[in-house]
Amino acid sequence: MRLSPLKRHSVIAAFAPLVVALGQQPIISFSDSPGAFQIAGGPIAQPQILVSSNEFWGVIRAAGDLAKDFGRVTGTNFTLSNGEAGAEPAAYEYKPITRNYTHYEVNDTQRFHGPEFTDPSTENIAIIAGTLGHSEVVDGLVTSGKLDISGIEGKWESFTTKIVEDPISGCAKAVIIAGSDPRGTIYGIYDISEQIGVSPWYWWADVPIKQFKEIYVLPDGKTQGPPSVKYRGFFINDEQPGLSGWVERNYPDTPYGVGYNADFYSTVFELLLRLRANYLWPALWATMFEVDDPASQPLADAWEIVLGSSHTEPIMRAQNEFGTFYTNEGLGPWAYNLNNKTIDEYFVYGAQRAKPYARNSLWTMGMRGTGDTAIEGLGVEFIVSMLETLVHNQRAIIEDVLDVTIDEAPQLWCLYKEVMSYIQQGLTIPEDITLLWADDNWGNVRRVPVGNETIRPGGAGVYYHFDYVGDTRNYKWINTIQLEKTAEQMQLAYAHGADRIWIVNVGDLKPLEIPLTHFLDMAYDINQWGVDDVGNWTLTWATREFGSEYASSITEIMTRFGMFAARRKFELVEPYVYSTINYNEGDAVLGQWQGLAQDAQAIYDQLNETHQPAFFEMVLHPILGGQIIHQVHIGAERNMVYANQHRNAANDMISKVLASFDADADLTIRWDSLLDGKWKHMLDQTHFGYDGYWQQPMRNVLPAMAYVQGAISSIAGSVGIAVEGSNASIPGDDKYHANSGNTLVLPSLDPYGPVIRWFDVFSRGKANCDWWAETDLSWVKLSQYSGTVGPDNGTDSRVFVSVDWASAPQVTNNTVANINFSTGCGRDGFSNWYGPPIVQLPINLRTVPANFTSGFVESDEHVAIEGPHYQRIHTPSSVPSNSEITYKILRNYGRTLGGVTLWPQKTSPQTPETAPALEYDLYLFTNTSKANVTLYLSPTQNYLSDKTPLEFAVSLFPVGAEQTEPQVVQFVGESIGANMPPGWGRAVADAVWGLAPIHNTTTTWNIAQEGAYTLRIWGLAPSVIVQKIVVDLGGVRPSYLGPPENFLVGRDEIGVYNQTSFADAYAVV
């Protein structure tokens, strides 16, 4: 895609018709319509928002935000009143803890003060906000029959917004926001904020606030029921050096570290609520939320934030508290088998400290080892028994301290890493505790509720990751999340009953604005944002943040970015990953990133200046960063190839890589200077130099490269030749071809394969040399027959070889074209020590029979197919006619195009006799007893437990013959203890099962003769997602993304379908 030049636009023009809360029913308009009620820009000079004096403090505070939001949009703040003249700001009282963190004590009462009140002015009231049972005005409207609350009463976090006439004496008409509980009211308040043009990311991502003078409320009103997921939030984690460096610069240090204080967290709380979330795991690494600032915990309660603690921080105590105040003070180790009395007292203190805020507390149970590690050295049976005792004691502590029955205190046990395996070892978890299943840290859900787990009173949830520190490598720099994958995995979890808690690790928070918003929007309304709705979500998000004029282009850009970035985390890209000699893979990857960067830059250049910072932060920066990552590593790989071929250009590649590396530094400097340094240090995270090790490097370091000695020529001559598909070069010796050999062989050409092959002619010395090339077959064409190489005016040349099929013999046979070379500089060109160089091109002159009208044709001894491009779905005769089981295409999913998976997601595991199959038609020329069919499958886990492992099946047989017995393959092994299944590290690094030798996604078949074949593939459970199929008949060469998709009869045209790289493939699902 290329964007045509667009004119700069005004803020108002881009958003004039309507600004809609993302995915929510619109209730705001900026033009009059029948029945609409004008609340801004009308006869009232300064409209008023009314709350009741007995309202929750957090609701009053949010109403104050709404009053300011109107000012941000219109230029005139609304006033806020509680109906009493001379009223003081609402106060939230709390008693901060003393700095004795082993014995619970509190200091004198302190207060948080809400927004300023204005004296009541009933004739100016435009909005009345209140919570049922805590708002005299709203309760009065319900009693009088003017407000119907049947859709929200008794429901979790629900609200209704409605225009009511004569709501109170002296007020002719007002908009009523009524919440079933305080957060319901808050969400109703922020719903209006968002719809009038204040993005939830107005501060954290600098999305400019839209400007309007006239604002109307539509007459229909709305009722918003309970969110799909009860507790929805994020975990700030792995926050060094980025977020912590930024916090250190912007907030004063606390007594125990950088300034993670209440002022910082107030910005986080506001973001949570504006995103319609409710739950927080505070920062972990070098902080102690409740200790660093004693105001933070009560402030969360005041704001109506549900406070929790991470999987490794039980009973509301920060991970670092035990080491700081217990172990360091001689009170023993974090080992329950050795120090249970002290640890129980530690838990008692956590419960005592949280008791005043228990209404907004969600208790993490259980225990892991020191520093978020597994408990070791005790044996699994002992650990299971110990943990059951520990949780029994934790529950008794909560009951005793809070004076409640335990089922009144919501609890979770995070089944993270090795803890999940304890269930299989007999761990019994009380029924009222929520089972918080975890992903594998790489976005693949490890377990969903099964069997009786689906009816437990405590329910189930998911702990998910957009950031991680650990094996196989950290990924914590910038956004690399593919929204389509998040949707598929979280919808899968929800379909199986994981609807109580969704919590996601967002690392530094700032670089992950887009996937976080998408995650929380799904959690709020799962039916609105299914797996087919990611494009619609992105379009709506882009419209909200940047305007309708560019929304479609931004959606297309971000969809491409999601796929490009998700192929491999940026930290895992290394020189060896993408091939620079096979399938033109490296060039294609760089070309895609270049096109994406150009398109994003074109949008940036045309946006109003007020929108450019937000666009840079969320869109342009990650794209430029991703492009540079690939330029550096693919450039370094090319340098090593060139150096092995003794090219002068190896040194030029070093210069190019250095320039890209410098551009990376410039990009960080640009980030740090944005908005007068507002976000300086936020992206200090290193991202070059991992060098095979999982932990972050302490400084960005280039990959290894090689420098050739430019002052002395190669002993094989100053002119070298290399071919596609090989590291070798001629003339001369190297380890890549026969000793003293003078011939290199190109990959073959045939009518159904790539339209071109290439060879390079290059300088590897000091002489300036003319060169000539000629073929021995007139219908074999070269893009260039001569040139000059050398250090002065010479240019290395890539020469493309093609076949004029119309002029080629119209017979079926295999032949070889010879390409011969000469130079104009005598022995300085090609040394006498070696024979004259020859490049050979194998040519397969062949055609498929006329009755093969649809299907993929073998070329270069392989067939590659994008999973969604099946010809049909085959349903066995044994499957009932009313079966709903089918396959679903996941568009814009995976590494190259899409995926296809069994559907619906709640479908139980199947067999080849009970499930439909994907059917692909093939025409094969090569006879072999070892045709390997390899599936590239998404790195799914055994989400139904290792007792029900994921499987697929394959059958390959001649058309018209009986189906061969399907080979059923279990491709995900068992997880033992804290270990992931065998081969998992490569699967998540590669973003597919199927590339590593240890991966079990290959079946082998006998191809006895040329002809048409049927390939059937069964995904025997949902989330067995087929991204690509490669049938290797002996010709597949190493690459990361696999060969380009083969020629499809009925779709492609000979000589038109390029097929030289995966990027040229047919890109429509």
Side-chain angles (χ1 to χ4, degrees):
M1 170 190 165
R2 281 293 172 271
L3 301 170
S4 58
L6 301 173
K7 295 180 179 179
R8 286 185 176 269
H9 66 287
S10 69
V11 177
I12 294 177
F15 294 89
L18 198 68
V19 176
V20 179
L22 212 161
Q24 302 304 303
Q25 176 189 338
I27 57 170
I28 295 293
S29 177
F30 304 103
S31 59
D32 199 2
S33 61
F37 172 43
Q38 187 170 13
I39 55 173
I44 300 176
Q46 193 169 29
Q48 188 167 94
I49 299 171
L50 178 65
V51 295
S52 290
S53 58
N54 62 329
E55 184 57 80
F56 289 96
W57 187 90
V59 172
I60 295 172
R61 190 213 56 77
D65 277 356
L66 180 59
K68 290 185 291 185
D69 287 346
F70 274 102
R72 291 170 172 138
V73 172
T74 68
T76 301
N77 284 9
F78 280 21
T79 63
L80 180 67
S81 174
N82 70 350
E84 300 175 0
E88 295 292 325
Y92 175 99
E93 295 186 347
Y94 69 99
K95 292 185 176 181
I97 55 174
T98 64
R99 295 201 177 275
N100 180 343
Y101 301 111
T102 56
H103 299 283
Y104 178 68
E105 295 175 351
V106 295
N107 288 313
D108 293 338
T109 299
Q110 294 190 22
R111 296 170 180 82
F112 303 127
H113 294 286
E116 295 287 337
F117 285 128
T118 301
D119 287 347
S121 177
T122 54
E123 67 276 12
N124 291 334
I125 292 174
I127 297 172
I128 300 172
T131 306
L132 299 182
H134 278 263
S135 171
E136 296 173 355
V137 176
V138 169
D139 292 344
L141 292 172
V142 173
T143 301
S144 67
K146 292 185 176 182
L147 184 64
D148 179 7
I149 59 167
S150 59
I152 67 169
E153 189 172 19
K155 297 181 179 180
W156 179 262
E157 295 180 349
S158 302
F159 68 88
T160 187
T161 303
K162 183 180 180 182
I163 300 170
V164 173
E165 294 187 359
D166 300 318
I168 61 173
S169 177
C171 176
K173 186 183 293 186
V175 177
I176 311 300
I177 304 169
S180 62
D181 54 29
R183 277 189 299 276
T185 312
I186 291 169
Y187 296 149
I189 288 169
Y190 281 137
D191 182 53
I192 290 183
S193 288
E194 188 177 356
Q195 293 203 36
I196 65 175
V198 181
S199 168
W201 293 99
Y202 79 95
W203 190 84
W204 272 98
D206 304 300
V207 176
I209 293 167
K210 293 65 178 174
Q211 304 297 303
F212 300 101
K213 291 299 182 184
E214 296 187 353
I215 300 176
Y216 299 82
V217 175
L218 298 173
D220 294 338
K222 69 180 292 185
T223 295
Q224 180 68 49
S228 302
V229 177
K230 186 170 186 178
Y231 297 106
R232 315 163 305 283
F234 54 77
F235 175 23
I236 300 173
N237 191 25
D238 311 328
E239 65 273 10
Q240 295 171 348
L243 180 62
S244 289
W246 178 82
V247 167
E248 185 176 42
R249 181 173 185 265
N250 289 280
Y251 298 92
D253 287 351
T254 72
Y256 298 99
V258 300
Y260 285 100
N261 58 24
D263 290 338
F264 164 76
Y265 275 106
S266 67
T267 67
V268 175
F269 298 159
E270 181 182 346
L271 177 66
L272 271 163
L273 294 172
R274 287 185 184 265
L275 289 172
R276 295 182 287 274
N278 60 11
Y279 183 40
L280 177 69
W281 288 359
L284 178 148
W285 270 25
T287 68
M288 296 176 283
F289 176 79
E290 294 88 351
V291 171
D292 287 339
D293 185 343
S296 293
Q297 188 172 23
L299 186 67
D301 181 65
W303 280 64
E304 300 294 336
I305 298 296
V306 178
L307 187 64
S309 51
S310 76
H311 58 286
T312 188
E313 300 176 299
I315 314 297
M316 295 291 179
R317 299 213 69 171
Q319 174 177 276
N320 295 312
E321 287 189 66
F322 195 86
T324 303
F325 305 121
Y326 289 75
T327 300
N328 291 352
E329 299 298 325
L331 297 178
W334 179 251
Y336 202 71
N337 60 308
L338 302 175
N339 199 20
N340 60 332
K341 183 176 183 298
T342 297
I343 292 174
D344 282 344
E345 291 172 354
Y346 174 81
F347 292 150
V348 168
Y349 177 93
Q352 291 171 329
R353 187 172 64 190
K355 179 178 181 180
Y357 322 111
R359 182 174 63 87
N360 284 319
S361 295
L362 178 51
W363 302 85
T364 295
M365 313 298 283
M367 179 177 177
R368 293 191 80 216
T370 300
D372 194 14
T373 61
I375 299 171
E376 296 180 342
L378 300 180
V380 173
E381 289 186 8
F382 183 89
I383 292 172
V384 167
S385 175
M386 181 185 73
L387 287 176
E388 289 178 347
T389 299
L390 176 144
V391 169
H392 176 271
N393 293 343
Q394 288 175 335
R395 287 159 64 83
I397 289 168
I398 290 173
E399 284 190 315
D400 180 60
V401 172
L402 269 59
D403 192 22
V404 297
T405 59
I406 192 60
D407 57 1
E408 296 178 88
Q411 312 140 68
L412 68 87
W413 196 339
C414 187
L415 307 174
Y416 183 65
K417 288 191 175 180
E418 80 289 342
V419 183
M420 188 183 86
S421 69
Y422 297 155
I423 287 184
Q424 293 175 275
Q425 302 298 323
L427 177 68
T428 300
I429 298 178
E431 291 288 299
D432 59 295
I433 295 180
T434 300
L435 301 178
L436 188 63
W437 302 103
D439 69 353
D440 62 352
N441 302 303
W442 290 75
N444 307 293
V445 174
R446 295 188 70 197
R447 265 282 255 115
V448 298
V450 297
N452 291 336
E453 295 167 356
T454 62
I455 58 174
R456 299 175 71 260
V462 177
Y463 169 36
Y464 203 67
H465 285 75
F466 292 153
D467 161 286
Y468 181 58
V469 168
D471 285 337
T472 58
R473 188 167 297 176
N474 297 0
Y475 63 96
K476 56 193 296 258
W477 176 36
I478 53 178
N479 176 24
T480 53
I481 303 303
Q482 187 176 51
L483 303 184
E484 288 79 2
K485 177 178 179 177
T486 305
E488 186 274 331
Q489 285 290 286
M490 296 311 298
Q491 292 276 350
L492 178 76
Y494 188 88
H496 285 83
D499 61 1
R500 189 64 56 89
I501 303 168
W502 282 15
I503 184 86
V504 61
N505 184 333
V506 292
D508 294 327
L509 175 61
K510 177 78 185 90
L512 292 166
E513 300 96 336
I514 297 173
L516 174 59
T517 306
H518 176 241
F519 179 90
L520 293 175
D521 281 342
M522 282 196 300
Y524 191 72
D525 191 346
I526 195 75
N527 295 321
Q528 176 81 10
W529 304 119
V531 295
D532 292 329
D533 299 309
V534 175
N536 290 336
W537 181 90
T538 309
L539 179 66
T540 308
W541 168 84
T543 301
R544 184 187 70 185
E545 313 298 43
F546 302 110
S548 58
E549 184 176 356
Y550 301 120
S552 294
S553 295
I554 294 171
T555 298
E556 195 267 349
I557 285 169
M558 293 311 296
T559 300
R560 287 154 63 199
F561 171 77
M563 179 171 288
F564 298 173
R567 285 175 183 154
R568 195 172 185 89
K569 298 297 185 186
F570 293 156
E571 291 86 345
L572 273 158
V573 177
E574 292 190 69
Y576 69 83
V577 172
Y578 293 104
S579 176
T580 60
I581 61 172
N582 291 324
Y583 308 119
N584 299 288
E585 186 175 65
D587 287 330
V589 168
L590 291 177
Q592 287 188 328
W593 278 104
Q594 180 180 359
L596 183 64
Q598 289 173 348
D599 291 346
Q601 187 66 51
I603 293 290
Y604 177 87
D605 291 342
Q606 296 158 81
L607 284 171
N608 186 285
E609 289 182 1
T610 59
H611 285 84
Q612 287 180 336
F615 188 84
F616 176 74
E617 293 168 37
M618 292 189 285
V619 180
L620 184 58
H621 176 276
I623 289 172
L624 295 177
Q627 180 188 23
I628 290 169
I629 285 281
H630 289 81
Q631 286 173 335
V632 166
H633 288 292
I634 294 174
E637 172 66 8
R638 183 166 282 128
N639 159 264
M640 296 302 290
V641 171
Y642 285 3
N644 283 329
Q645 295 170 345
H646 318 116
R647 303 192 192 198
N648 293 0
N651 299 347
D652 297 332
M653 284 308 306
I654 292 178
S655 298
K656 291 180 180 179
V657 170
L658 285 171
S660 295
F661 195 56
D662 288 343
D664 177 78
D666 291 341
L667 189 63
T668 302
I669 293 168
R670 177 181 175 184
W671 174 279
D672 284 347
S673 65
L674 186 72
L675 299 174
D676 298 322
K678 179 178 178 180
W679 300 113
K680 187 174 183 179
H681 296 304
M682 185 66 81
L683 291 187
D684 282 356
Q685 179 62 56
T686 50
H687 43 278
F688 285 104
Y690 278 85
D691 193 27
Y693 181 52
W694 67 268
Q695 184 58 286
Q696 64 188 7
M698 294 298 100
R699 194 175 189 182
N700 285 326
V701 178
L702 276 174
M705 290 184 284
Y707 192 86
V708 301
Q709 191 178 62
I712 305 296
S713 297
S714 166
I715 61 173
S718 291
V719 180
I721 298 166
V723 300
E724 176 182 351
S726 174
N727 283 308
S729 62
I730 52 175
D733 291 326
D734 57 45
K735 62 183 178 181
Y736 304 107
H737 72 300
N739 196 34
S740 298
N742 65 335
T743 301
L744 295 180
V745 181
L746 283 163
S748 63
L749 283 179
D750 67 65
Y752 302 101
V755 297
I756 55 172
R757 297 298 187 185
W758 56 260
F759 62 83
D760 288 344
V761 183
F762 50 85
S763 174
R764 52 182 182 180
K766 291 180 63 63
N768 298 305
C769 290
D770 297 329
W771 62 266
W772 295 270
E774 59 180 0
T775 69
D776 61 355
L777 296 176
S778 62
W779 40 273
V780 174
K781 307 296 183 181
L782 306 182
S783 63
Q784 183 178 342
Y785 290 86
S786 63
T788 302
V789 299
D792 295 334
N793 298 317
T795 302
D796 292 356
S797 297
R798 173 154 293 183
V799 180
F800 297 100
V801 188
S802 61
V803 171
D804 180 358
W805 297 109
S807 301
Q810 302 303 300
V811 295
T812 299
N813 70 5
N814 298 326
T815 189
V816 174
N818 293 297
I819 304 169
N820 299 293
F821 300 86
S822 60
T823 72
C825 54
R827 296 178 183 179
D828 286 340
F830 299 139
S831 169
N832 274 358
W833 311 121
Y834 301 95
I838 300 172
V839 170
Q840 293 185 328
L841 173 68
I843 303 170
N844 301 313
L845 297 162
R846 58 195 183 190
T847 186
V848 299
N851 63 354
F852 187 79
T853 58
S854 177
F856 292 94
V857 181
E858 175 196 337
S859 174
D860 197 15
E861 294 184 295
H862 73 260
V863 180
I865 307 169
E866 296 289 350
H869 288 165
Y870 55 86
Q871 272 64 64
R872 67 194 68 85
I873 295 176
H874 167 77
T875 303
S877 58
S878 57
V879 175
S881 59
N882 62 349
S883 173
E884 295 182 354
I885 302 176
T886 185
Y887 285 91
K888 188 176 190 64
I889 291 173
L890 305 177
R891 290 171 169 78
N892 302 310
Y893 171 94
R895 306 193 315 162
T896 50
L897 178 73
V900 59
T901 182
L902 201 67
W903 203 261
Q905 289 180 305
K906 195 70 185 294
T907 302
S908 59
Q910 301 292 304
T911 69
E913 292 72 36
T914 63
L918 301 168
E919 210 165 75
Y920 302 86
D921 296 332
L922 314 178
Y923 195 91
L924 306 179
F925 296 103
T926 301
N927 304 337
T928 177
S929 61
K930 191 177 180 181
N932 289 329
V933 178
T934 298
L935 307 187
Y936 291 178
L937 303 174
S938 297
T940 316
Q941 301 291 297
N942 287 330
Y943 63 88
L944 296 172
S945 87
D946 286 342
K947 296 178 181 179
T948 310
L950 295 181
E951 297 177 323
F952 67 86
V954 177
S955 179
L956 179 62
F957 54 94
V959 169
E962 289 290 325
Q963 173 187 292
T964 57
E965 182 68 21
Q967 296 184 35
V968 179
V969 179
Q970 176 186 335
F971 67 100
V972 183
E974 293 187 1
S975 300
I976 306 300
N979 297 323
M980 295 294 176
W984 164 86
R986 275 292 304 272
V988 295
D990 298 339
V992 288
W993 295 101
L995 281 186
I998 194 175
H999 291 170
N1000 187 24
T1001 68
T1002 298
T1003 57
T1004 302
W1005 304 87
N1006 179 42
I1007 304 301
Q1009 62 185 14
E1010 174 186 333
Y1013 285 77
T1014 298
L1015 175 64
R1016 285 181 182 160
I1017 295 175
W1018 291 260
L1020 295 177
S1023 209
V1024 178
I1025 302 173
V1026 181
Q1027 294 189 28
K1028 194 167 189 172
I1029 304 150
V1030 178
V1031 182
D1032 185 2
L1033 300 151
V1036 173
R1037 299 185 297 281
S1039 67
Y1040 184 66
L1041 298 172
E1045 185 172 62
N1046 279 54
F1047 188 97
L1048 176 59
V1049 175
R1051 181 193 71 185
D1052 302 327
E1053 184 179 345
I1054 290 176
V1056 175
Y1057 177 40
N1058 193 306
Q1059 205 183 150
T1060 55
S1061 79
F1062 75 92
D1064 297 321
Y1066 198 77
V1068 175
V1069 176

